[in-house]
Amino acid sequence: MKAIGALCLLVLLVAVLASALGVVWTRHESRVLFVNLTALQNQRDELNIEYGKLELEQATYAEPRRIDDEARQKLGMVDPRPQDIRLLR
């Protein structure tokens, strides 16, 4: 009878130790995942800021007046003379 009680006590001790190790591992894993989540959120915020800057830059480059100036300066484009214009019907 004492052997069965000692065996039950040993099994319960092992179960408690396994449970304690499980809790410690789970808390550690939770902290690691939280650190990763925070790093990813920071990266997301930085990418959102960069995306906003790129959108602003794109809007600036797509301005019609700027495109006209670039075409005239770099490509040598000019308005056609009135005698060069033909109307097709």
Side-chain angles (χ1 to χ4, degrees), residues 4-21:
I4 294 174
L7 183 60
C8 284
L9 186 62
L10 183 61
V11 168
L12 289 174
L13 180 63
V14 169
V16 167
L17 287 175
S19 175
L21 287 175

Side-chain angles (χ1 to χ4, degrees), residues 4 9 37 45 63:
I4 294 174
L9 186 62
L37 174 65
D45 294 342
E63 231 176 78

